[in-house]
Amino acid sequence: MARWPSVSKKFVAQILSAHAGLGVVAGAVLFILSLSGVLVVFHEDFARWEQPGAPEMREYTPEAASLGMDNAIARYQSIHDGALPDSAYMVLPTRAAPRMTALLGDDAWFIAPDGALAGEVDHAYSEFLIEQHYYLNLPHTPGIILVGIFGAIMLALVISGFAAHPRVFRDAFRFRRSGNPQLAEADLHNRLSVWGSPFHVIIPLTGAMLGLSILFAVVVGQSFHEGDMRYAFQPTFGAEGVRSDAEAPVADIAPALHTMRERRPDVEPWFLDLEYPGTESQSVKILSRLPRRLIFGEYYQFDAAGEYQGQVGLENGTVGQQIIAGAYQLHFGSFGGLPVKIAYALLGLALCMIVASGVNLWLMKRAARAKASPRLERAWISVIWGSPALLALCFIAVSGGASDVWLAPIFWVGLASVAILSTFVRSRAILSAGLKLASAAFIALGVLWHAIASGAPASPAFWGVSAWLLLTAIALSVAGAFGFARAGRASREPAPGTPDPVSSQA
């Protein structure tokens, strides 16, 4: 009878160690997605803070918007030898983001209230945050699918966590912060999970929906439409027109904006798409936010002369349309103004703590079973506190003139380097405290550098974001100083595998 070849115990131990490492890597991705999600909630505020000198306006005329579009198209043609893009987009001023911008291909310009071009749009850092949260800085299609998969993993963790703890609601206010560190960590994890449970279900659910919908679109496109995945989204976003090769004068968008104001004065137009400009098939779509509705908006369609042609149907569409259109708002908190943003930020930070404490508990339980992983413990600390430090370092790099193509390598290579180097640091408490202080220092340096470089403009948005970031830096510096003081009072470093109160609560 044939026998399986024997496997050495050392090999098995290496495989188990690799398995544990993959668990920490998965936790690291979920933590980074949660942290970047907190920042992306404020992406409009970050964009205003990043370029504080751009013109802002609460009101605008359709004629000024039309002139701005014409000027942007003329500039684009001067750069690209007279060519025109398939679509010319315009972001219209709103209460949340009172700026007008024109986007053609990879070029974007601010529009002044009189319709003149007012400088190039350069939101390198804000776009980096979006790229990280949406795509993990990967190519868009595989990136958003991967993010959707991690959203499904997080949702499964949330549901299985509740199923595995039948007393979790009964003990909703039980919070032991002294004595056994593992019990304290478990209470932190469980209480935050219960208190924010609706949020912790909605965020991964909608994230999985948005990410995996791309996978569905890819399958549909490959199977039925010669690889074109846009067909899967036509019920939600409307069908694209058929491009004509016959040339025509570029359409004036002012009549469509006037008609929009006359027909629907109750909605807030915020995005305009001039499709196939300079051809006989050109048309205008205006995406508008509806009051007291959770959907991200409705598309209103106009011909080249500005005559109303109907709407896509999100406003009164099918249940499926309503769910998909509402998922965007629910996931990103882009409804309800600043109070909702603040609530999402606090709940998002709680989600970061849940992810961190979940991995902490897993590491502590391994240690209790004499399977301690001291290097993984230090690597995990480096992920928790190295991530904000490297996000701040990326902004310093942008302020120093670094190209946006360097931001993703700075973050990901930097995080891997910190994780590797952290395994050689003996004290987990000192590692945790040091990274907190580094995060605080980088955030403060980035804010001060940006204030000096931009001339400290008298802008409430600029100073509001700056104050928020400086308060974050102060909180991190206090936590880091406390950690160093606590480590200094310790008579000796805990033995390998022993839960460390400072680092385990990272």
Side-chain angles (χ1 to χ4, degrees):
M1 181 176 179
R3 298 180 61 186
W4 289 101
S6 61
V7 180
S8 68
K9 292 183 179 179
K10 181 179 179 181
F11 178 77
V12 172
Q14 289 174 339
I15 293 296
L16 290 174
S17 178
H19 177 75
L22 287 174
V24 172
V25 169
V29 173
L30 291 175
F31 178 83
I32 291 167
L33 286 173
S34 300
L35 179 61
S36 59
V38 171
L39 299 176
V40 168
V41 167
F42 298 97
H43 73 276
E44 292 174 332
D45 307 278
F46 268 113
R48 295 175 68 187
W49 176 72
E50 198 170 351
Q51 284 189 282
E56 297 193 346
M57 64 202 80
R58 299 293 177 181
E59 301 290 338
Y60 65 96
T61 64
E63 287 72 24
S66 178
L67 179 58
M69 179 67 85
D70 291 342
N71 288 333
I73 289 174
R75 177 69 62 84
Y76 182 89
Q77 290 183 299
S78 69
I79 296 172
H80 299 277
D81 299 324
L84 283 169
D86 285 343
S87 283
Y89 304 109
M90 177 166 280
V91 180
L92 300 168
T94 63
R95 290 184 296 272
R99 294 180 174 183
M100 186 186 298
T101 56
L103 302 90
L104 290 79
D106 294 328
D107 302 306
W109 297 275
F110 291 111
I111 308 297
D114 61 358
L117 299 187
E120 294 185 5
V121 177
D122 185 16
H123 298 153
Y125 187 70
S126 307
E127 292 299 321
F128 163 71
L129 294 176
I130 291 173
E131 289 283 323
Q132 185 175 94
H133 187 69
Y134 283 31
Y135 315 109
L136 284 171
N137 302 117
L138 296 170
H140 285 185
T141 298
I144 197 170
I145 291 173
L146 183 61
V147 169
I149 291 171
F150 273 101
I153 291 172
M154 181 176 282
L155 180 62
L157 289 170
V158 170
I159 295 172
S160 61
F162 281 113
H165 298 84
R167 294 182 49 176
V168 70
F169 288 103
R170 188 189 312 173
D171 296 336
F173 297 98
R174 190 177 187 184
F175 202 20
R176 296 162 291 190
R177 299 305 294 161
S178 60
N180 188 320
Q182 185 172 321
L183 291 178
E185 197 76 12
D187 279 354
L188 174 67
H189 183 82
N190 293 336
R191 297 303 81 77
L192 291 177
S193 299
V194 171
W195 296 338
S197 54
F199 178 85
H200 305 323
V201 170
I202 288 171
I203 294 303
L205 174 61
T206 52
M209 285 173 54
L210 297 175
L212 297 181
S213 67
I214 302 299
L215 179 59
F216 168 76
V218 170
V219 172
V220 170
Q222 291 291 340
S223 302
F224 304 106
H225 301 288
E226 299 180 349
D228 190 346
M229 66 180 189
R230 293 174 297 178
Y231 284 89
F233 295 108
Q234 286 183 4
T236 301
F237 302 108
E240 292 186 359
V242 179
R243 182 180 183 124
S244 169
D245 292 330
E247 296 184 359
V250 174
D252 181 4
I253 64 172
L257 288 170
H258 275 298
T259 303
M260 189 74 227
R261 290 183 174 185
E262 293 168 1
R263 292 185 63 91
R264 294 301 301 268
D266 57 315
V267 304
E268 183 181 48
W270 69 277
F271 191 80
L272 183 145
D273 176 8
L274 174 56
E275 190 177 40
Y276 304 135
T279 71
E280 289 187 352
S281 57
Q282 61 191 330
S283 60
V284 177
K285 284 183 182 179
I286 299 177
L287 177 59
S288 302
R289 292 192 177 98
L290 282 68
R292 297 178 297 280
R293 293 293 299 275
L294 192 58
I295 60 175
F296 64 78
E298 172 65 286
Y299 292 93
Y300 299 89
Q301 301 170 312
F302 302 84
D303 64 16
E307 293 294 326
Y308 180 65
Q309 302 295 304
Q311 58 195 71
V312 169
L314 298 181
E315 183 176 9
N316 301 301
T318 64
V319 173
Q321 284 180 302
Q322 300 287 310
I323 291 174
I324 292 295
Y328 288 88
Q329 299 280 75
L330 277 174
H331 188 78
F332 299 108
S334 50
F335 63 95
L338 185 60
V340 172
K341 288 183 179 182
I342 293 173
Y344 263 62
L346 294 175
L347 290 166
L349 289 174
L351 190 57
C352 292
M353 296 175 68
I354 290 169
V355 174
S357 59
V359 177
N360 287 339
L361 278 170
W362 177 68
L363 291 169
M364 295 166 78
K365 289 177 180 179
R366 282 176 60 87
R369 296 194 303 268
K371 296 180 180 179
S373 304
R375 290 186 176 180
L376 281 180
E377 292 168 8
R378 287 160 175 76
W380 180 240
I381 293 170
S382 71
V383 169
I384 300 302
W385 298 114
S387 295
L390 286 162
L391 287 173
L393 183 61
C394 286
F395 181 73
I396 294 173
V398 168
S399 300
S403 171
D404 57 353
V405 300
W406 288 102
L407 298 185
I410 288 173
F411 180 85
W412 293 105
V413 175
L415 189 62
S417 301
V418 172
I420 292 170
L421 292 173
S422 69
T423 62
F424 299 99
V425 178
R426 183 173 180 273
S427 171
R428 290 170 289 180
I430 289 177
L431 174 64
S432 177
L435 288 174
K436 290 173 187 175
L437 288 179
S439 298
F442 286 156
I443 292 172
L445 178 61
V447 171
L448 295 175
W449 189 339
H450 185 47
I452 294 170
S454 61
S459 165
F462 176 83
W463 287 110
V465 174
S466 297
W468 171 60
L469 291 174
L470 287 175
L471 287 173
T472 301
I474 291 171
L476 286 169
S477 63
V478 170
F482 175 78
F484 272 121
R486 191 170 183 178
R489 289 195 301 267
S491 59
R492 60 184 177 85
E493 172 73 6
T498 302
D500 177 10
V502 174
S503 62
S504 69
Q505 295 173 17

